[in-house]
């Protein structure tokens, strides 16, 4: 099986905004993500923001409806076209471009904020992507991200359970070896010139400490049942970074 198989996103592009498709569950992650992001930006109106790895445009449209001047970039031309079509349908002005995160077509000091969600675990060169994000952010601009931790628990949950057993994620989409620990990402961010790094758990699975096996199994079944009924993942922002985590970092420097 091919790992980190990004062809999945090309195949899904035309169905990105179909509420009956599994991929649409990603749309519902906007609310908990921006509950975290809003801790650091209270008013998004009029800001310039880029979504790196924007897919079909879930986060771009979410920001555009808040009055943000939005750009989005993605490796998949089919996803970019789907995003453009949906934005046009909803009369939203969003600058979508096809390209790679390691070499983005934007000038230095362009954006007030850059978001990169569900993406860092897929890119070819994480450090180069972070360098590019640092370059295109304005001084004191904020980088928001989420990604997947690399440990035995994330292999069990993300690969064995969600991909191989439940098939809620297309098998082969992830490569466990490309997952990134919070410590590794913090070090890479700081080496690229970011500071004020803050990381929290992006917890959709609850605790995995099994003190009571019956209660543990019931909790997990309840979480999965809720997801199957609503396609909305019950996310909590907390200290549990063991599977997924969310964070922010600031490009140091003074505005000119």
């Amino acid at each position: 099986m091919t790992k980190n198989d990004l062809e999945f996103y090309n195949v899904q592009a035309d169905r990105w905004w179909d509420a009956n498709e599994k991929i649409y569950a990603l749309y519902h992650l906007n609310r908990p993500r921006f509950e975290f992001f809003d801790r650091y930006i209270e008013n998004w109106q009029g800001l310039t923001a880029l979504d790196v790895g924007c897919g079909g445009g879930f986060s771009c449209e979410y920001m555009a409806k808040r009055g943000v001047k939005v750009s989005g970039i993605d490796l998949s031309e089919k996803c970019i076209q789907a995003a453009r079509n949906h934005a046009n349908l909803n009369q939203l002005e969003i600058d979508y471009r096809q390209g790679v995160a390691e070499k983005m077509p934007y000038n230095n000091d362009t954006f007030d904020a850059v978001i990169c969600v569900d993406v860092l675990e897929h890119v070819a060169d994480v450090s180069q992507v972070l360098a590019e994000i640092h370059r295109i952010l304005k001084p004191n601009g904020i980088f928001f991200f989420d990604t997947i931790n690399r440990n035995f628990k994330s292999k069990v949950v993300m690969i064995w359970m969600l991909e191989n057993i439940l098939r809620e994620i297309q098998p082969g989409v992830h490569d466990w070896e490309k997952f990134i620990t919070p410590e590794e990402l913090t070090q890479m961010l700081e080496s690229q010139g970011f500071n004020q790094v803050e990381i929290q758990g992006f917890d959709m699975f609850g605790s995995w400490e099994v003190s009571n096996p019956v209660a543990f199994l019931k909790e997990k079944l309840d979480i999965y049942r809720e997801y199957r009924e609503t396609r909305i993942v019950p996310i909590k922002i907390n200290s549990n970074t063991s599977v997924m985590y969310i964070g922010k970092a600031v490009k140091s420097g003074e505005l000119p």
Side-chain angles (χ1 to χ4, degrees):
M1 181 193 303
T2 301
K3 296 180 181 180
N4 195 38
D5 184 4
L6 302 184
E7 179 60 23
F8 164 77
Y9 296 100
N10 282 325
V11 172
Q12 288 289 311
D14 292 338
R15 304 171 226 168
W16 199 273
W17 288 93
D18 185 341
N20 296 313
E21 292 288 333
K22 288 181 179 180
I23 199 166
Y24 193 75
L26 298 177
Y27 173 82
H28 297 294
L29 297 183
N30 278 322
R31 182 192 57 77
R33 280 172 174 152
F34 279 87
E35 284 180 1
F36 176 83
F37 301 161
D38 288 349
R39 298 178 186 180
Y40 308 99
I41 296 179
E42 293 183 2
N43 183 7
W44 291 75
Q45 180 77 34
L47 296 182
T48 55
L50 171 69
D51 183 4
V52 178
C54 63
F58 289 153
S59 295
C60 286
E61 292 204 8
Y62 191 89
M63 289 188 287
K65 290 175 181 178
R66 289 175 144 209
V68 181
K69 299 174 183 176
V70 184
S71 299
I73 187 169
D74 199 274
L75 179 64
S76 168
E77 179 62 46
K78 290 184 178 179
C79 283
I80 288 295
Q81 191 56 57
R84 286 178 180 144
N85 291 344
H86 198 268
N88 290 336
L89 188 66
N90 288 274
Q91 298 182 319
L92 296 171
E93 293 187 11
I94 301 173
D95 176 23
Y96 284 117
R97 305 189 195 184
Q98 188 277 331
V100 297
E102 288 84 358
K103 188 176 181 181
M104 292 188 278
Y106 308 106
N107 294 330
N108 296 352
D109 306 333
T110 297
F111 297 101
D112 297 299
V114 171
I115 74 169
C116 185
V117 292
D118 282 336
V119 171
L120 292 175
E121 66 271 19
H122 294 295
V123 300
D125 187 335
V126 178
S127 292
Q128 180 58 31
V129 171
L130 297 180
E132 277 289 273
I133 291 170
H134 186 274
R135 179 184 66 79
I136 63 180
L137 271 171
K138 295 177 182 178
N140 294 323
I142 305 180
F143 172 44
F144 295 112
F145 56 87
D146 66 40
T147 191
I148 308 173
N149 200 345
R150 189 183 68 257
N151 53 33
F152 181 72
K153 191 179 298 184
S154 68
K155 180 177 284 189
V156 170
V157 174
M158 300 302 298
I159 306 297
W160 296 349
M161 187 173 74
L162 292 181
E163 288 193 16
N164 298 338
I165 298 174
L166 299 176
R167 299 295 175 110
E168 292 296 338
I169 299 174
Q170 178 73 20
V173 165
H174 292 115
D175 179 355
W176 178 82
E177 293 184 359
K178 292 182 71 63
F179 293 175
I180 312 160
T181 70
E183 296 78 15
E184 289 170 341
L185 187 53
T186 298
Q187 192 279 324
M188 284 189 277
L189 286 165
E190 291 176 347
S191 70
Q192 295 297 340
F194 288 97
N195 57 26
Q196 302 179 51
V197 179
E198 296 186 31
I199 287 175
Q200 290 285 302
F202 196 60
D203 181 8
M204 66 178 69
F205 308 106
S207 172
W208 287 80
E209 301 300 325
V210 189
S211 56
N212 183 327
V214 175
F216 173 84
L217 183 59
K218 182 180 183 303
E219 179 196 25
K220 299 302 172 251
L221 287 174
D222 286 346
I223 291 172
Y224 185 60
R225 189 178 297 112
E226 179 180 350
Y227 166 73
R228 292 288 293 181
E229 290 175 355
T230 66
R231 288 297 171 185
I232 298 175
V233 181
I235 299 286
K236 294 180 180 179
I237 305 296
N238 56 26
S239 61
N240 181 14
T241 62
S242 60
V243 178
M244 296 181 67
Y245 59 94
I246 191 167
K248 68 92 180 174
V250 177
K251 176 177 176 176
S252 57
E254 297 298 326
L255 288 170

